[in-house]
Amino acid sequence: MAWLCPTGVRRSDEEKSVHYVLFIRTDHTPDAALGHYLAHVGPTLDAFDGRLLAFGAPTRLEGSSAYTKTALVGFPSERSARDWYASPAYQELAAWRVGVMGREVDVQLVAGLPG
């Protein structure tokens, strides 16, 4: 099955394409409190060819959402992104993070555009 992406290029469902995992925080948990998570999340990416592309406090250009931190992680395919997120190593860290923060963060998976 193929679909038309916003650029007008047709892609099949089976085609590998870059995918991004976007983390959006709206809490005020200090980075120091999340030190264990921040120190150990990077190595969980390696087996899935994931790469941290951006991390920090976003600068609002439009809208009114109160985002406090955003992270963007790139993967070579949707499968590698999903496998990383579901991996025991990452899920252990995610559970730890939720325990410290007292809540989940928004985590989104977005397909990259071909090209």
Side-chain angles (χ1 to χ4, degrees):
M1 180 176 171
W3 54 278
L4 191 63
C5 72
T7 61
V9 176
R10 293 186 72 79
R11 295 193 339 201
S12 74
D13 291 338
E14 293 76 34
E15 181 183 352
K16 282 190 169 187
S17 64
V18 174
H19 275 66
Y20 301 97
V21 175
L22 178 65
F23 291 81
I24 302 168
R25 288 176 44 195
T26 57
D27 65 289
H28 295 283
T29 306
D31 286 348
L34 295 171
H36 173 78
Y37 176 87
L38 297 172
H40 292 90
V41 71
T44 70
L45 299 170
D46 294 341
F48 304 94
D49 296 322
R51 188 170 145 233
L52 180 64
L53 301 173
F55 174 74
T59 301
R60 180 178 306 129
L61 298 177
E62 185 175 332
S64 60
S65 296
Y67 301 140
T68 58
K69 285 283 171 85
T70 301
L72 181 66
V73 181
F75 291 90
S77 68
E78 179 179 5
R79 174 59 35 219
S80 62
R82 289 183 179 277
D83 287 349
W84 166 76
Y85 184 78
S87 71
Y90 180 70
Q91 284 301 305
E92 181 179 325
L93 282 174
W96 184 91
R97 182 196 70 223
V98 170
V100 168
M101 294 173 64
R103 62 191 279 185
E104 295 179 333
V105 297
D106 286 334
V107 182
Q108 310 292 325
L109 178 63
V110 180
L113 298 175

